[in-house]
């Protein structure tokens, strides 16, 4: 990228680096999510997150044996965070804000994989501005992490299809398992991936 000043052209090599647009998209998503993140009071589901994550490990595993097993990985992550920095509305919601930033960056990466760099930027910006995204970025629940893993799994799938190595498919498999472990309904995304791969194979 260049900027013209009079008859001189000033080169901006940093803006030409491939990591800069995803980084900018990620920072945009994080910044929007951070605006007023501690202002709303906790609602019922967030209170459930706090109640579960502040139990002892033994109490948490006992709870997950009866209810909310689908949120086990998320509650365990919050438990570790609370052990390190303590509980507060910020420490509860911050992982979601970070997850939205990562998801925005991955949306841009996915757009590039599809060969549409300009559309990738537009898609990443639109993603950051979707009301449901801004909501889940300020919510102490697993939805932002779920969205991140859904996009990450799709990025990993596209990479595996393009590269075709055993390692790339193993990476996709690990991300897929992690996604379903975090939230069971992400299995629907994996099924859609399988149908996509089958359709692509039948059209070769």
């Amino acid at each position: 990228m260049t900027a013209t000043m009079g008859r001189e052209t000033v080169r901006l090599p940093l803006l030409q680096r491939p990591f800069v647009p995803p980084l900018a998209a990620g920072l945009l998503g994080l910044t929007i999510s951070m605006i007023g993140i501690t202002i709303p009071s906790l609602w019922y589901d967030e209170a459930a997150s706090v109640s579960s994550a502040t139990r002892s490990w033994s109490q948490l595993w006992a709870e997950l044996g009866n209810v909310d097993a689908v949120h086990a990985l998320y509650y365990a992550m919050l438990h570790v965070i609370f052990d390190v920095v303590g509980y507060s509305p910020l420490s509860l919601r911050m992982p979601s804000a970070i997850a939205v930033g990562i998801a925005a960056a991955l949306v841009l990466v996915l757009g590039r994989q599809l060969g549409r760099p300009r559309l990738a930027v537009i898609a990443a910006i639109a993603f950051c501005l979707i009301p449901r995204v801004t909501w889940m970025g300020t919510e102490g629940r697993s939805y932002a992490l779920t969205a991140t893993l859904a996009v990450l799994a799709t990025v990993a799938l596209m990479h595996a299809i393009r590269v075709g190595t055993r390692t790339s498919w193993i990476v996709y498999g690990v991300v897929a398992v992690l996604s379903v472990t975090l939230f069971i309904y992400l299995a629907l995304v994996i099924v859609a991936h399988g149908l996509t791969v089958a359709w692509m194979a039948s059209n070769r």
Side-chain angles (χ1 to χ4, degrees):
M1 186 176 293
T2 60
T4 303
M5 298 177 61
R7 295 183 178 181
E8 297 182 357
T9 299
V10 179
R11 296 189 177 275
L12 303 174
L14 180 62
L15 298 182
Q16 295 176 331
R17 302 288 180 87
F19 68 86
V20 172
L23 178 60
L27 290 174
L28 176 63
L30 174 62
T31 301
I32 293 174
S33 296
M34 289 296 296
I35 297 174
I37 193 171
T38 60
I39 294 175
S41 58
L42 268 62
W43 69 293
Y44 179 81
D45 279 4
E46 288 184 306
S49 295
V50 176
S51 175
S52 297
T54 53
R55 298 170 185 261
S56 67
W57 283 111
S58 60
Q59 291 173 332
L60 177 59
W61 299 139
E63 175 195 355
L64 296 174
N66 297 293
V67 294
D68 269 356
V70 294
H71 298 299
L73 185 59
Y74 177 69
Y75 290 160
M77 181 197 71
L78 284 184
H79 193 292
V80 172
I81 292 173
F82 293 167
D83 281 347
V84 174
V85 300
Y87 162 72
S88 69
L90 180 60
S91 63
L92 170 66
R93 293 167 173 167
M94 190 70 184
S96 295
I98 295 173
V100 164
I102 295 173
L106 289 172
V107 166
L108 197 149
V109 171
L110 179 60
R112 283 178 169 177
Q113 287 179 322
L114 297 173
R116 307 292 295 274
R118 291 185 179 179
L119 186 59
V121 174
I122 296 172
I125 295 173
F127 175 83
C128 293
L129 299 177
I130 294 174
R132 188 63 186 91
V133 172
T134 59
W135 170 267
M136 70 185 182
T138 61
E139 185 178 32
R141 294 297 284 171
S142 64
Y143 304 121
L145 295 175
T146 299
T148 301
L149 285 174
V151 184
L152 178 61
T154 308
V155 169
L157 175 67
M158 295 298 297
H159 178 73
I161 291 173
R162 186 177 69 251
V163 176
T165 63
R166 179 179 298 179
T167 300
S168 64
W169 282 107
I170 290 175
V171 170
Y172 170 72
V174 170
V175 175
V177 171
L178 180 62
S179 300
V180 176
T181 302
L182 179 70
F183 196 65
I184 188 65
Y185 289 131
L186 280 179
L188 297 175
V189 174
I190 307 306
V191 170
H193 287 169
L195 293 174
T196 300
V197 172
W199 178 80
M200 293 176 67
S202 66
N203 285 275
R204 287 181 178 175

